[in-house]
Each structure stands twice: as structure tokens, then as C-alpha cells.
Amino acid sequence: MTLGASAEVRGSAGLEYRVESALEPRGDFACYLARDLRLDRPVELMVLETATPSSPQLASFMDQARLLARVNHPNVAAVHGVGLSNGTAHIAREHLDGDTLATRLEHGRLRPVEAVRLGRDVLRALEACHAAGVVQPELAPGTVVCLRDRAVLVGLVAAVDGASCERDLFAAGRLLYEAAAGRPWDPAAGTGDGAAWRPVPRRLRGVLRRALAPRVEERWPDAASFRRALDRISATGTRRSLIAGGAAGAGMVALAVAAWASRHAIAHWWDPGPPGGQPRELAVLPLEVAGGHPNDSLGANIAQLLHAALVNVPGLELTSQRRVTAWLDDEGGEIGGAQAAAARALEAHWVVHGLVRRRGDSLWVRATLYDAEGAKAPLPELHGTVHDFAEIADTLAIDVLRAAAPDLEPAYRGVQNLSGVPFVAIKSFLQGEAAFERDAWAQAEGYYQSAIDADSDFALAHWRLANVKRWRRLPYDLDLRQVYARVGSRLGPGDRMQVEALLEPDVERRLARMQAAVDSAPRDAYTRFLYAEELFHRGPLVGRGIEHAVRVMNEAIVLDSSIAEAYNHLFLAAVREGHGTEAKRLLALRRRVSAGRSPGDPNVVALMGLAYDERFEPWRGWLKRTYLRWFADSAEVADLARAARLGAPWFDIPQTQIALDGIVLARGPADSLSRASAHTGVGLGLLVLGRPGAGLARLDSAVALSPTAEARLQQAEWRMVPQAVGLPALEPAAAAAWESRLETFAADSATAARALWALALGRLAVADTTGAERMRARLAAAAPASPLEPLLRALLEGARGGAAAALALSDSVRPLFAVNHPPDPFAGAVFHIARATWATALEDPRAADREWRWYEGSDFDGWPSGVPQAGEIEAVFGVWARWRRGEARLSAASAAADTLAGCALLARVTELWRDAESAFAPLAARARTEAEACPR
């Protein structure tokens, strides 16, 4: 079928698009200008006109749709939708009403300022693409559309692989050369000063020579570096001609001389461009301490505080202190007269450096602003005492802005969070910040605690300590809510918004508050990272899939590529989703951020490498496990014991969890609690693999070693709850024995609600609604405030066929179950599975899918040990949920994307249940049959 003008394209929502005219094809796909009839807007449709469900062309087309949809950036054409109907697959993409660069160049080369602006737009687009794991193999003048306010990439894309990012950067160099010179790049021309370079503006030549260097290692290392070099050209472009000449040079000298006449003139000399333009970058170097000890941290402390004061100024980018430290290490720790070299090496517009003198409590600070050309502007000397430490940094920040970018001064908010904090506390806090920057989290924790010891009302130190302990998965024995009530007013607005959001118990409202915090500080990487982390762990509880978290986490990395924990999360998602190429890329990036192990912290990079090998290179994973079993030292075994139970709930590699906990049993501590925890890990892994007989036997072994009341109660719940959601049931005789055990717990007020809840589920599993109702009534009498009772009422309504009433009843207690600590560790799984089942009965597949995907969350306290936590239990039920979700996606599929997503879910379920026990054989066989019917 060939689409003509006025043809109609249908999708999952019925009539969606009216084709208006044909456009140039995109690769192997036809392309049309169409009208989106629902939103009344023009779109570009890429169409595959022979889209049979089993065709490799359709699979390739849908891969392209997913890759295009990964990138959300104003310099990359947006994807609005995808669909499959009547043998025609389509991708709806943003329609851009502008000429391509190829058309523009038919009328001659671009003006220098236009060429630089084009290059910055293209490189910003490549930064976003590479962060999302996407490259632009078609990058050329024909795939760049020039709009009035920006350039936009419209070509097809591919997944990052090997040297593909390097090829993108080389292609960007060729593109910019052609735009500036008016003719294509000839590789034979070399990179000297021959005729090939004469049409190129002189200030652009050095940037493009590096971009087009014959050897890869001589080129720009990444899109951000290339873009910042163009930013510097743009920054000086308003005061200096891009085409250098005698008159321009003389004018610049005259301007410089005049600039020194007054502070106001200095400000204009350093003004790098009009307000509202691209952010300008500043690097803050550690200040030298006159007559100080080489290890005196005072100068570094002032630099850190100055960095913190300026970091949220809109339009100003701060070079990360991690990069500054790395450059300084390369210089042997001495700055000397290398300030201008620092600006060039750090690819910043300016650097700040200076001298601190201290006499007793008195301080004198004299700082200077340097640009990459070596020009410098001294700032006024400041005088104060160590008790005015924050105020000195505040005044210095204002002086820097006035000299460098006076148009940004009105947006400066001042040093926040530190007013009235004593110097000794600030100093410890800044040491903690520096340790955090280099991923030495155990050291950071110690410094933050020292800051709190020096000032118990130091709100920002409490907040940072809480975060570090959370990321180290350690218990935090201080009530943050109480601290916030006492000293929260001393936090800056952004930090207050973040704390208030995390103290919100309702996950939906919590995420909305965190989004508001991001919106209030759009260039704050830390705020965006906190939001992304919350989305990773708890977003799926309210239907926000892991892809949402991945997008926000990539945005945080674009703002600050040095956040190690951000790469950890993205790597986790890639492994869980089975994306080996992406996981490999992220692991390589993570190693660059910080490969070393800091004292007191687990060897995270080594554990990530093991997880990658176990999922994608199993032979190498086997070798590593063999080494650990026979040769690991005590530190490696300790790391293993902490991380072994992450295999199933975090990385979706239960076989690895079983193997690693087996090593812990063989080489780890001999105490009963440690051995019980390892047996629990093995048991949970076996349950994920559909082997309940072997899995429950291991859990029983754990209970025998540590027979706490919680362990024995869960032991009985494992026999009742799974069958209530459709998993294989126990033998009747065995069920009676466990019901008797639960009745014992029902007689204890501390455990009555949970025991009666489990007994009610056991009755529902055998369709005994009368017996379940009796248990519900007993629960209501024993624990009238328990949220388990209204959930049981909803379950009973659902069992009687009242799906709508069941959903309404369960909605009333949703905030109490969409949490990482539900009132019973099994309750969250039952809540979401039941709601998905009811939504399916009401023929609402979208609502059902939102509930099914709750298992994508990965939240639990600390390094899992002891009895199973809710997050670990949900990993067991999550395989069952994936199967039900995959079936639902296929049965309601209205587009190829639904078919492919459902098939991917079923394929993973069949992998996990490959060696399932006989009780699971019918389920495994059904999943395998459904997966085999999927397109190949």
C-alpha cells in the first residue's frame, strides 16, 4: 500500500492522522507531512508500509522508534507517538517548519556567528543523544533543520556502539567546517594553515583542527568539550571579531586599556555575551594560603564555598570541583602561574584564583579572575574574620559576577544554609563535600557528623548526612522530621523543598513535590539526581515506569557528568532490562568517574563488573565466582555478604544470588544470623526461578537458625499468600498445618492482624469467601485501625465479581500500600496484583499495566539481611506479574510496540522459569508457548 495525500492513518486510539503530502524518505522508510487530528498540529510520519507482525523490518522499525524516543531535547526532533494498523507501522515525529542546512548552504556559507551558534546547537543535541545511549549516523547538512531560534537534528539514529560517539563528533566537525567555509571538508587538506582553512574564521580554526585531526586521540574527547570550546568563542564574539585582523586587534587593545579605568568598565570587558544566552563556564581554583602549611585546607574551603554560592546562578556553569582537582593533580598540586592554562585545560571561560592571609581569627582574601587568553581582572581585597567565613564567600561571589557577567548578578541568591554556622563546623562540612565529590562516602559521613558535633543545629549537614547514609544503605538514627521541624528554616529554599518532599508519605504527592523542586532549580544536578533516584525506587509503586527514571537520571548526568551514583542507577536499569551494550557503556563511564575504592565503602565498581558478567558474559562471571569461592580475602567476602542478596531484587539475576549466597555460606561468618541470611538469599533466588519446594526448604533452614517471631510468621505466610494471587497451591494437608500455625499468631495482639490477613487470603485461594469474610471480621475486631482490613474488603468484592467496587475500596488505602514499608511485607504485592486483575476485568489495560509494573521498583532498607524485606518478596511475585503483564500487552496490542513489549516480558519469564519445578510446569509451558508465537 502507498499512502497518498488525504489518506488516513489509524492507531490504537482510532483515527489519528490525515496525510497531506509526501516528503523525502528517511532511510528505508517513507515519509509524509500529516495532520494530527486529535491535537490539530502538523507532524512528520515515518511509515513502514509492509509491517507484518513477524517481519524483521517491523522489529527494526520499532527499534528505531524506541531509540528516537529516548532523547528529549529541543535540538532533537521529538517523537509524538508510534502505531501499527492494517499492515502499516508509523512513527509520528515533530514537524519542523524550516530549511535544512543543505538548503541554506546553497546560498553561501554562514556568517561566523551563525556557524558558531549552529555548532553549539548540534553539539548540545549530541550531548543529550550520547547521554541517552544514542548516536546520529546520518549527521550531515541534510539532516539538520535551521529554525529561527535553533538548529534541530532530524536524522535516523542508532544505539551507541564502539567508536560511534567519536564518529558523531568527527561528523559534527565536518558539518561545522562546511557551514563556516562554504564547501565540504576534504580530508586530504590536512589540518595546517593551507588554502582549505583560509575561508574559516581564524578563531574557529583551532577548534575545527582539533575536531578534524587525523588521529582520534587528538580530537575532542566528547561533545561537551567541543561545545564548550565554541561557547568560549561565542563569549568573546560580542567584543572581538571572529575574523582576526590588525584593526580588530588594535580595537581589542584599546578596549582592554579602557576597561581598566573603572570597575564598571572591567565588568563590560568581561561580559561574554547577551543575557539569556548559553551558560558561561567558571572554574574556581583552590586559593593559596600565605605562609600556610601545604596541607592547610583554608584556601580550598573558600573555593568550595564560593563554588556553592555560584552554582545555582542561571546562565552560569560551574566546572565541577572533581575536574578541578583532577587538573590540579596533573599539575603536581601546584598552580603557580598556570591560571590561564587552567582555563584552557578545563575548557572554562574564566577561572578564579587568589591568596588568603590569616592572622589569628582575621582573614584577608585577594582574588583575581583570569580568562583563557591570559587576561586578568583583580577583584577588591576582602577583610573579615573566620566567624564571617560565609559572608566573605558571599561578597566574593558578587565581585566575581560583577567582573565576569554583570547581567547575572540580579539572579544571585547568596550563600544559603550557612548563615550563623561556626567556622569549625563549616570547615568539616566542606571536607565532607570534598569527600563526597570523590565518592569517599564513608569519609564524607565522618566529616558531616563532625560538622553536626560542632553545631547540632547545622541543618544542611544533617540533610547531607541523611542522604549519604541512605546511599551507603546504612540506618540513620536521627529523625529527620524532628530536625527539620527544629532547624529547617536554616536551609535554603531548594533544600527545604527536597526535605519536605521526602518527608511526604504519599508517593504520588512526594514525586510531585520533587518535580517542583527540579523546576525551581533546573540546572541543579543534585536536585535532579534526588528526584531521579526517588523515581527509580518508588516511582513504579504509582505507575511510573523505570524508563521515566532513566530519562531524569540522564538529565542529571548532562548537568553534572561526575555523579557516580547516577551511573550506578542507570547501570542497574540496563542490567535489569537486559540491555548489554548500554550496560557495558555505563560501566565504562562509571570506571572513569571513580575507579578506586574508598576506605570503609564496598568496592562498587567491582560488584557492578560482576553483575555485568553474570548477565551478559556468564563464562567470565563463572571465573570470578570461582576465584571468590577459593581465593577471596576477608574484605572481598564482606563485600559479597553485603551485596549477595541484591541479585534478584536489583539486577534480576537470581541464579547469581543463589551462587553468591552459597559462597557466603562456604566462606563467610559462621554465626547463625549470617548463615540464616545467606540461606534466605538462596531461598528467595529459588522462588524467583519457580522452584518453591527447594526455595521454601531454604527459608525453613533460615528460620531454624534464627527462629524469631517475624521469621516464623513469614514462614507461614509463604504457604498462604502466593496461592491467593494465582500461584500453585499447597497440598490440603500441608495447608491445614500452616493454618494452625497462623491461628497461634492470631492469638497474639502484636501479630493478630497479619495472621488473620494471611488466613483470609488462604480462604480466598480456595474460593471460600464465607471463611474469608469471617477472618476479615475477626481482623476488624482485633485491629480496627489496620489498613489490611479495607484491603480484605476490596479483595472480597473482587472475588464476588465487583471489580469496580474493589478498585474504589482499595483506592481509599492506596497511600498505605504504595510504600516501601507496607503493613505486611506481602501486602504490597497482593495490592498491586489484585488491582491489575480488577482493571483487566474492567477492560482498562492501561490502568492494569500501571499496577503490574509496581515490581520495577527496587527499594528496601540497607544491605538486605535477616528476614526478607518487602522489596525482596516483591521480586518473587514480580516474575508472575511480568507473565500476566506480558499476556495483557499481547491480548490488547494495538501497535507493534505493545506486541514487542509483551514478547520481551514473556521471553524473560521463560528464561527464569526454564528449570521450574513440576508445580510451576503448567505456567512455564504456557509462557513458553506464548513467547514462541512472538515475532522473531
Side-chain angles (χ1 to χ4, degrees):
M1 175 179 75
T2 302
L3 295 176
S6 300
E8 296 172 346
V9 178
R10 294 180 179 271
S12 59
L15 184 61
E16 292 184 359
Y17 307 103
R18 183 179 65 246
V19 175
E20 296 182 344
S21 62
L23 301 173
E24 288 293 320
R26 293 272 186 237
D28 296 330
F29 312 132
C31 196
Y32 302 91
L33 176 63
R35 172 67 54 177
D36 184 331
L37 299 177
R38 293 175 300 168
L39 299 177
D40 192 27
R41 64 180 175 185
V43 296
E44 178 185 299
L45 288 183
M46 287 191 290
V47 178
L48 179 66
E49 295 176 340
T50 55
T52 60
S54 60
S55 68
Q57 291 87 353
L58 177 59
S60 175
F61 186 81
M62 298 312 298
D63 284 343
Q64 182 64 207
R66 280 191 291 271
L67 290 171
L68 287 169
R70 280 189 190 180
V71 188
N72 179 18
H73 193 272
N75 297 114
V76 181
V79 172
H80 296 319
V82 64
L84 174 65
S85 179
N86 299 324
T88 300
H90 68 269
I91 300 170
R93 201 173 185 185
E94 177 184 9
H95 173 64
L96 301 161
D97 189 12
D99 292 333
T100 66
L101 178 60
T103 301
R104 289 282 306 274
L105 292 177
E106 290 174 2
H107 305 288
R109 65 183 181 178
L110 302 186
R111 293 184 297 115
V113 67
E114 292 176 323
V116 172
R117 189 181 303 123
L118 168 80
R120 292 161 66 197
D121 282 352
V122 168
L123 289 162
R124 280 196 293 271
L126 292 182
E127 283 182 72
C129 288
H130 295 172
V134 170
V135 291
Q136 295 274 342
E138 295 188 331
L139 184 58
T143 60
V144 179
V145 173
C146 300
L147 304 180
R148 182 183 60 82
D149 60 339
R150 70 189 193 279
V152 183
L153 307 191
V154 298
L156 298 180
V157 297
V160 169
D161 185 21
S164 50
C165 292
E166 296 168 358
R167 288 193 291 271
D168 267 5
L169 298 181
F170 188 74
R174 288 187 307 183
L175 184 93
L176 186 52
Y177 176 90
E178 185 169 352
R183 62 190 186 193
W185 166 248
D186 179 5
T191 56
D193 290 314
W197 291 99
R198 289 186 190 128
V200 178
R202 190 167 296 173
R203 289 184 60 80
L204 260 177
R205 292 179 192 173
V207 176
L208 291 183
R209 285 194 193 100
R210 183 169 179 181
L212 298 169
R215 298 173 60 189
V216 171
E217 58 269 23
E218 296 174 351
R219 300 176 192 161
W220 296 108
D222 50 45
S225 303
F226 192 169
R227 187 259 305 161
R228 283 193 289 265
L230 294 177
D231 286 348
R232 286 197 295 275
I233 292 175
S234 178
T236 56
T238 59
R239 296 289 180 252
R240 305 174 185 175
S241 170
L242 280 170
I243 304 176
M252 192 60 227
V253 171
L255 180 61
V257 171
W260 287 98
S262 70
R263 185 166 181 167
H264 178 74
I266 291 174
H268 283 276
W269 176 42
W270 287 91
D271 181 8
Q278 274 302 107
R280 290 149 281 182
E281 186 156 344
L282 171 74
V284 182
L285 306 183
L287 278 66
E288 295 180 25
V289 180
H293 188 275
N295 293 326
D296 192 335
S297 62
L298 181 62
N301 293 158
I302 292 177
Q304 284 178 281
L305 203 50
L306 177 60
H307 185 282
L310 293 169
V311 74
N312 283 321
V313 175
L316 185 69
E317 281 189 0
L318 272 293
T319 304
S320 76
Q321 291 185 293
R322 188 193 305 269
R323 288 191 65 206
V324 171
T325 300
W327 171 81
L328 193 56
D329 289 344
D330 289 343
E331 295 293 312
E334 295 292 333
I335 295 174
Q339 292 89 345
R344 291 191 295 271
L346 295 169
E347 294 154 1
H349 298 89
W350 317 279
V351 298
V352 179
H353 184 237
L355 181 71
V356 183
R357 290 185 294 117
R358 179 176 182 177
R359 184 178 301 159
D361 283 348
S362 295
L363 295 177
W364 291 263
V365 178
R366 188 170 65 241
T368 303
L369 198 65
Y370 299 82
D371 75 358
E373 306 299 324
K376 59 184 181 179
L379 304 178
E381 185 175 68
L382 302 176
H383 175 239
T385 71
V386 291
H387 306 296
D388 309 319
F389 198 58
E391 288 76 8
I392 290 174
D394 194 50
T395 304
L396 181 57
I398 293 171
D399 288 339
V400 168
L401 284 176
R402 286 174 178 168
D407 57 291
L408 302 182
E409 186 185 344
Y412 178 66
R413 296 179 181 177
V415 177
Q416 301 174 21
N417 305 314
L418 300 178
S419 177
V421 177
F423 173 70
V424 64
I426 292 178
K427 187 170 182 179
S428 292
F429 173 79
L430 293 175
Q431 288 174 311
E433 295 285 88
F436 179 81
E437 276 281 322
R438 59 180 185 271
D439 299 317
W441 288 4
Q443 292 179 10
E445 179 186 341
Y447 285 126
Y448 291 141
Q449 186 60 60
S450 295
I452 293 169
D453 292 343
D455 180 1
S456 60
D457 290 342
F458 194 170
L460 186 59
H462 281 299
W463 170 226
R464 290 288 199 269
L465 179 61
N467 285 331
V468 167
K469 285 205 169 189
R470 182 156 53 98
W471 295 328
R472 292 189 70 210
R473 311 200 69 80
L474 296 173
Y476 188 52
D477 52 8
L478 188 67
D479 188 333
L480 189 61
R481 188 179 299 276
Q482 288 184 3
V483 173
Y484 182 69
R486 182 164 51 87
V487 296
S489 61
R490 295 179 61 180
L491 288 172
D495 288 307
R496 280 203 305 274
M497 291 180 73
Q498 293 165 16
V499 176
E500 288 169 357
L502 287 175
L503 291 176
E504 168 59 60
D506 185 297
V507 174
E508 197 77 68
R509 289 199 291 267
R510 185 188 309 168
L511 293 175
R513 285 187 165 202
M514 297 194 83
Q515 177 68 68
V518 168
D519 293 341
S520 71
R523 297 200 61 79
D524 189 327
Y526 191 81
T527 299
R528 199 171 293 261
F529 165 72
L530 288 175
Y531 177 43
E533 194 215 21
E534 192 68 17
L535 286 169
F536 260 99
H537 297 307
R538 283 160 285 276
L541 297 174
V542 290
R544 302 204 191 182
I546 204 72
E547 68 279 358
H548 189 188
V550 167
R551 177 179 61 79
V552 179
M553 194 64 81
N554 273 310
E555 291 171 356
I557 286 177
V558 168
L559 293 172
D560 183 353
S561 61
S562 68
I563 305 176
E565 187 68 5
Y567 295 102
N568 295 351
H569 282 72
L570 291 173
F571 174 80
L572 160 67
V575 173
R576 290 180 66 181
E577 295 298 310
H579 298 155
T581 301
E582 177 69 356
K584 186 175 184 178
R585 180 183 76 89
L586 289 164
L587 181 57
L589 291 172
R590 177 62 177 84
R591 284 178 171 139
R592 290 181 203 168
V593 171
S594 63
R597 172 182 185 166
S598 62
D601 291 324
N603 193 337
V604 173
V605 174
L607 292 171
M608 290 169 68
L610 176 60
Y612 173 84
D613 291 338
E614 289 286 347
R615 185 71 194 270
F616 305 111
E617 302 282 353
W619 65 270
R620 197 157 54 197
W622 177 85
L623 286 176
K624 287 184 177 179
R625 276 190 278 115
T626 301
Y627 163 80
L628 289 169
R629 179 173 289 276
W630 296 107
F631 305 109
D633 59 29
S634 58
E636 290 169 322
V637 173
D639 279 358
L640 203 61
R642 277 194 282 190
R645 279 172 56 175
L646 298 178
W650 262 20
F651 292 109
D652 194 30
I653 45 176
Q655 298 95 331
T656 300
Q657 176 164 314
I658 294 167
L660 296 184
D661 273 306
I663 295 172
V664 173
L665 285 169
R667 298 283 315 279
D671 64 280
S672 59
L673 292 179
S674 298
R675 294 185 64 77
S677 182
H679 276 297
T680 297
V682 174
L684 291 168
L686 290 167
L687 289 170
V688 170
L689 296 174
R691 298 168 63 186
L696 291 175
R698 285 294 189 136
L699 293 180
D700 291 345
S701 297
V703 175
L705 287 164
S706 180
T708 64
E710 176 64 26
R712 291 186 295 110
L713 176 56
Q714 283 196 26
Q715 185 184 25
E717 287 183 288
W718 276 113
R719 270 68 180 193
M720 292 290 152
V721 179
Q723 57 190 324
V725 298
L727 288 167
L730 293 172
E731 293 295 326
W738 290 109
E739 285 179 354
S740 177
R741 169 83 64 88
L742 285 168
E743 283 289 358
T744 302
F745 282 105
D748 184 340
S749 60
T751 54
R754 288 176 54 189
L756 292 166
W757 141 266
L759 285 165
L761 291 180
R763 293 294 88 211
L764 285 173
V766 295
D768 179 7
T769 54
T770 301
E773 175 59 36
R774 284 199 305 270
M775 296 300 172
R776 185 207 62 77
R778 288 176 61 189
L779 193 161
S786 172
L788 293 171
E789 190 275 332
L791 178 56
L792 274 178
R793 278 191 280 125
L795 291 167
L796 283 161
E797 284 288 345
R800 297 178 185 122
L807 282 170
L809 275 169
S810 59
D811 267 332
S812 66
V813 290
R814 183 182 190 100
L816 301 174
F817 290 93
V819 294
N820 55 316
H821 293 295
D824 179 273
F826 294 84
V830 174
F831 175 84
H832 291 286
I833 290 173
R835 284 181 59 86
T837 303
W838 300 329
T840 300
L842 294 172
E843 298 182 348
D844 189 347
R846 290 187 178 181
D849 195 70
R850 285 196 298 271
E851 299 293 345
W852 287 128
R853 69 191 314 166
W854 109 94
Y855 66 84
E856 291 181 341
S858 55
D859 192 45
F860 33 81
D861 291 333
W863 301 96
S865 62
V867 296
Q869 295 188 41
E872 296 180 282
I873 291 170
E874 289 169 356
V876 175
F877 287 85
V879 185
W880 164 255
R882 270 183 274 187
W883 172 51
R884 295 284 302 278
R885 183 183 173 204
E887 280 192 325
R889 292 292 290 268
L890 289 178
S891 64
S894 58
D898 294 322
T899 300
L900 294 174
C903 288
L905 289 165
L906 291 173
R908 184 57 180 157
V909 170
T910 59
E911 289 176 5
L912 292 170
W913 285 351
R914 182 182 294 117
D915 299 317
E917 291 175 358
S918 58
F920 269 73
L923 297 179
R926 182 173 161 184
R928 185 166 54 251
T929 300
E930 291 165 339
E932 289 171 351
C934 283
R936 299 293 179 186

